[in-house]
Amino acid sequence: LRRGTTATPMALDFEGRAEFLIDAAVYPGSSGSPVFVYLPDVHRFGQSAGRHFLFVGVVAAVFFREEANHLVSLPVPANNHGLVMGSEMIDLGLVIKSKAVVEVVEHYLRQWAQ
């Protein structure tokens, strides 16, 4: 379990796609990890019943800084094989929004039911 913050507004589509950015530690193997937003209930301070976690998407990619300080978005690798030397992960992750995830699951279920 890791903590982070949203780096772009979740209500907006990043670069026109149903995605947003998070500022969090995204490491090899974390692709597909669920992302939740914590919404405390300020009226019930200190009571666990007043806390809410919303599923907002899944991690799809991590941003790298290359030697020339050019930022690149790449899928999160499952291992360190194939990483370009001189690249550095900058803890900026690309998240596919939950609405897109739900659409894919619903499409799959419709296809499977036929």
Side-chain angles (χ1 to χ4, degrees):
L1 194 60
R2 297 183 182 96
R3 290 183 183 205
T5 59
T6 54
T8 60
M10 291 187 307
L12 301 178
D13 287 345
F14 180 69
E15 295 185 348
R17 297 182 306 268
E19 301 168 345
F20 65 95
L21 299 180
I22 56 170
D23 184 357
V26 181
Y27 296 108
S30 59
S31 182
S33 295
V35 177
F36 297 92
V37 169
Y38 171 68
L39 300 172
D41 186 346
V42 295
H43 301 295
R44 296 182 182 197
F45 182 74
Q47 297 179 5
S48 62
R51 295 184 219 157
H52 302 282
F53 290 90
L54 299 176
F55 170 67
V56 294
V58 294
V59 174
V62 63
F63 281 81
F64 288 88
R65 179 187 352 238
E66 293 181 339
E67 289 181 26
N69 289 331
H70 175 61
L71 299 180
V72 178
S73 170
L74 296 172
V76 180
N79 56 44
N80 287 336
H81 305 299
L83 284 180
V84 179
M85 295 301 290
S87 293
E88 169 188 12
M89 285 185 282
I90 59 171
D91 292 340
L92 193 61
L94 183 71
V95 177
I96 298 172
K97 290 183 179 183
S98 59
K99 68 179 182 179
V101 173
V102 169
E103 287 174 4
V104 168
V105 169
E106 288 175 346
H107 177 74
Y108 173 79
L109 292 175
R110 281 193 304 272
Q111 294 288 48
W112 185 76
Q114 293 179 359

